[in-house]
Amino acid sequence: MQSKDKHNKLTFRSGAPHASRSLHHTQCFLPMPGRSMVTSQSTFPSALLRRSQSVEAVDLIPCLIGLQLKEHTMATFLETSFPNLNTINIEEIYSGFGVKDEDSARMLSTSRLGWMSVSIIRGIWRTIMGGSFSTRVNAQGLHNGETVLPNSVGMRPFFTSFPRLQSFVMLAETGEDYSKVKPIGANDWIHQDSLTGSLTPWPCEYTLTDLRISICGIPRPDITHDRKGKKRHPVLEETYPGESWEIQHQVYERLARFVNLETLWLGSNSCYDENPYTYSKKVMNHQYECLEMSLESGLDRLEGLKRLQVLNISLMATRIGQKEAQWMAEQWPKLHEIRGLESRVDTWRARQWFKKNCPRVATP
């Protein structure tokens, strides 16, 4: 299998129709919707069409998703023209381009062989899974035309249907607004068998190495106030005592099944500008209804992640202390970076422990 940077890659950008080509990368420039439109596939640069059989990876600006190619959408064009497509990267969603929900959802059904890498960041998920629609995805990789629902269950087909999935990214380094990123609910993530109550096996449990998602919907009775000291409202309450840890145990058990994980992001050190013109105020995307990452909550269920190298719990209301730090150092021998150990008393102690006792683990 080729390494990721050796894939034959296609990038769609806006501009006058033409293509530029290097050894492994073709950039295709297309007009934006609402301006001069591409009228047929024959207007595509010949360099692009000659390479269509070898293209495996696509980078796409979402404003081009709804682009009409005569009688076909961009999704149809990708599906029919690139039989070896296995990697897709969609980012930088903007409003006002008339992108239809159905077009966006279809874009994620264009891999005939099944996705190996999916990256959907900076607000695009709201366009794909948000709103009040439900669309049937007809793709070879999805079981029996599985329905993509307008909630976090819509993420599940990526894990249940693509046995080659190696990377699934919903969190960016910085900049995305969590109000536009669709987290997956804890109950949807757990995915229990209705008859046995055990976790339903997912086919990508041995292939996934890079997972960057936000998991929400976990009651946290221990977190009554936000980072600014204000009382949280509304608060997700437990329906019975101990429900929070019971849910967390099951979330950890699902994560533990990805035994080859190297990168695990459950949080992101992101913020967005409330006023994009004056940059007058930064709003941080804190998570409260999340895993607390303590041994009491079930962290030890992740002891099998022996390949884990990077953990990101930035802006999460965790309870990682010194004993959790020591446990991580012992159980995850390849761990070399933990992001998100901030200035709270317990996480500060964990950070200091790593610096003094396990310098191989960076804590930026």
Side-chain angles (χ1 to χ4, degrees), residues 15 41 43 46-47 127 142 306 341 345:
Q41 290 185 201
T43 63
S46 57
T127 301
L142 292 180
K306 302 302 183 184
L341 292 178
V345 173

Side-chain angles (χ1 to χ4, degrees), residues 11-15 28-38 44 59-69 72-75 77-78 90-94 97-100 103-104 107 124:
T11 299
F12 286 99
R13 301 189 182 281
S14 58
C28 183
F29 292 82
L30 302 173
M32 286 186 181
R35 302 182 182 179
S36 57
M37 303 297 288
V38 176
F44 273 82
D59 287 342
L60 183 67
I61 298 174
C63 63
L64 297 175
I65 289 177
L67 187 66
Q68 287 294 130
L69 307 173
H72 303 286
T73 64
M74 173 66 80
F77 175 69
L78 292 182
I90 307 175
E91 56 182 286
E92 301 286 359
I93 184 65
Y94 300 103
F97 289 105
V99 179
K100 296 180 180 179
D103 290 336
S104 301
M107 188 62 59
I124 182 66

Side-chain angles (χ1 to χ4, degrees), residues 325-346:
Q326 185 173 353
W327 181 90
M328 292 176 183
E330 292 174 354
Q331 298 299 325
W332 298 336
K334 294 189 176 182
L335 186 69
H336 63 76
E337 182 177 315
I338 298 181
R339 303 186 189 184
L341 292 178
E342 299 163 356
S343 58
R344 294 171 56 199
V345 173
D346 49 356

